[in-house]
Amino acid sequence: MTGSLHSLLQRKSLLTLLLIVCAILGWWITQDNATTLAKPLIVTVDQGDLENAVTAAGNLQPSDYVDVGAQVSGQLETFLVEIGDKVSSGQLLAEIDATVQLNRVEASRASLRALEAQLSARSASLKLAQANADRQTRLIEEDATSQADFDSAINTLASAQSSLIQLQSQIAQSSASLASDEATLAFSKIAAPIAGTVISIDKKVGQTLNASQQAPTILRIADLSTMTVQGEVSEADVSKLSTNMDVYFTTLGGGSRRWYGKLRQILPKPVVTNNVVLYTALFDVDNSDNALLSDMTAQIFFVTSAATNVVRVPVGALNFKDTNNLLGLAPNITELSNSKSTIAVTPQIQTQNSIPAGDRLKNRSAN
């Protein structure tokens, strides 16, 4: 009985001691947090650049591209390029089976040769008819031939002249037809209309192309040396934009790199999606290093105002007492009098007063 009472007393003593330790530990943590919360966060006034900007999302497209199509029907025989290849203007890209076109050219050439062969005979007939007409003219003047023979000679001459003119017209028509057939034959060899990069191929070797109603697109060539950025700007911000204003953008994979340009155009017709009105803003950027690709996503910044190499004060360190005075709460800064801030950009503003770079201010937003 005595042993059980002693064990109970020991457990109560340990529990009491544990409660005292927990109370002391809780008091210490509370005091440490209070000290931490009471300690102001001091920020340093620095010197740098500030800007106001309208942000928008967009994508990149080549500034110039051509969809290369087929002008003749037939089976696609060969592809001489692949996606990503750089091509020059006039370079051969693909060939279409030209059996039908080649046969038409040969038929037109044969027809033209046959007409040209008749030309010498028609010319000889005209010369003979002209000689007979001249002889009958002299004879009729001497009253040495009949009127019927004279009329017949004149009629034969007119018929020979008409026959020769008709043949010459047929030759011209046949020559034009041959030239057309030769041009159609040349269309079976597809050449690059511009210099650039092959960015897509829509057909496969062996596929039959039907160009009777609409030219089928075979591939697309784009000039990637200059990219056009298409930004979608909300109707609330579009009035803040103007042509030739500074603009830059970043990409998801470009890290901190910026590409700069000038706003070229704002398309007047908006794009309405789910009752959201967006206007398309266009500007061009140089891509000579080929770092930008088609359809990349761009985070765009249209710079409406900017200042360079100015003293910057974090907004959280300032207390706007009135429109002309700002109060700093750090011990070594008492009052910023007559501050005429020209640009306000969260989380910093530009000030035009005697605050030197390197001074420290209490950041109120940290409390």
Side-chain angles (χ1 to χ4, degrees), residues 98-116:
T99 302
V100 175
Q101 290 77 19
L102 184 60
N103 290 337
R104 287 177 180 173
V105 169
E106 292 299 329
S108 294
R109 287 174 178 171
S111 176
L112 181 60
R113 286 194 297 268
L115 292 174
E116 290 174 343

Side-chain angles (χ1 to χ4, degrees), residues 48-66:
D49 301 335
L50 293 175
E51 68 180 20
N52 274 331
V54 172
T55 60
N59 62 79
L60 278 70
Q61 295 296 333
S63 61
D64 186 21
Y65 68 89
V66 174

